[in-house]
Amino acid sequence: MIRRPRLRLHLPWIAALCVIASVTGCATLSQIAALRSVAFTLDRVDQVKVAGVRLDDKRKYSDLSVIETAQIAAAIALRKVPLDLVVHVRAENPRDNTVSARLVDLDWTLFLENTETVSGKLSGSRLLPPGEPVDIPIAAQLDLLKFFKGSGRDLVELALGIAGYGDATKEVRLEALPTIQTSMGPIRYPGRIVIRREVGGR
């Protein structure tokens, strides 16, 4: 399930818009309106690794080699099982927008199976031209044992589901706070947007 983010305009945000409008006029308001209508969706998750074992070419636990299985078992014995992944967010500025939107910051928190895990900040300017979908890759790393319990097989099957494989679907969710660039400087969304998707189950 993919939910389109909604922006709720609170009083401080409305007041800020009024100030901007009085100082810079319609151009800045057009930039803000452009980002408001940008659709953020979770496109895919890739480059998934568990304890350094790449899972992109795996479809089930039995696809792991003996060495890879031993590598994961050793990580569990040390009570630290790192999960590396890249979440790809698709940002699409509608074709009928008259201006490009420019994203300059994105604070994010990653949820896996409704469990809050790690947070981070994606910096760097990204132009979102009308009608041209833009891929925004977000790299994350977390310790699986800090958030989930189970055997090595359980953890690998969880990671396979997150990668888009496995028998059961898994929910991947980002709660994000975008910042846009305007002629008045950077302006942050007044609230977080929720970007989620059910993956796996194939």
Side-chain angles (χ1 to χ4, degrees):
M1 177 177 67
I2 301 174
R3 178 177 296 176
R4 182 171 178 149
R6 295 178 181 176
L7 177 61
R8 297 178 180 175
L9 296 180
H10 302 291
L11 288 177
W13 182 255
I14 295 173
L17 291 184
C18 291
V19 172
I20 292 170
S22 64
V23 176
T24 62
C26 295
T28 297
L29 289 179
S30 295
Q31 292 173 318
I32 296 172
L35 188 60
R36 166 63 187 91
S37 58
V38 169
F40 293 93
T41 56
L42 202 157
D43 185 49
R44 68 190 187 280
V45 179
D46 63 13
Q47 300 182 46
V48 179
K49 294 189 294 184
V50 174
V53 176
R54 289 195 65 114
L55 299 183
D56 287 351
D57 60 343
K58 309 291 191 298
R59 298 298 178 268
K60 53 187 182 298
Y61 181 79
S62 59
D63 289 338
L64 270 65
S65 69
V66 173
I67 293 176
E68 290 170 333
T69 302
Q71 186 172 329
I72 293 170
I76 292 175
L78 294 173
R79 306 302 301 165
K80 187 173 184 179
V81 183
L83 170 68
D84 297 272
L85 52 85
V86 177
V87 178
H88 291 266
V89 172
R90 177 187 174 103
E92 189 163 3
N93 191 2
R95 187 178 299 277
D96 57 359
N97 266 351
T98 58
V99 298
S100 295
R102 185 175 293 277
L103 182 72
V104 293
D105 267 323
L106 189 71
D107 295 308
W108 56 266
T109 299
L110 175 66
F111 292 76
L112 300 176
E113 288 290 84
N114 210 34
T115 297
E116 181 176 346
T117 61
V118 293
S119 300
K121 175 189 284 288
L122 182 70
S123 301
S125 178
R126 287 168 173 79
L127 186 66
L128 309 178
E132 297 181 22
V134 176
D135 177 58
I136 303 175
I138 298 174
Q141 183 183 74
L142 59 115
D143 181 1
L144 276 175
L145 287 183
K146 184 176 179 180
F147 305 101
F148 302 97
K149 296 180 180 179
S151 65
R153 185 184 189 114
D154 293 333
L155 297 179
V156 169
E157 289 180 347
L158 170 65
L160 283 170
I162 293 168
Y165 305 104
D167 296 328
T169 60
K170 306 294 180 184
E171 185 190 75
V172 179
R173 181 170 97 242
L174 282 176
E175 293 189 2
L177 190 62
T179 300
I180 60 170
Q181 183 64 45
T182 73
S183 54
M184 278 289 290
I187 295 181
R188 178 175 291 184
Y189 265 45
R192 289 181 176 270
I193 60 173
V194 178
I195 311 166
R196 59 157 57 90
R197 182 169 182 173
E198 296 284 342
V199 296
R202 55 174 172 160

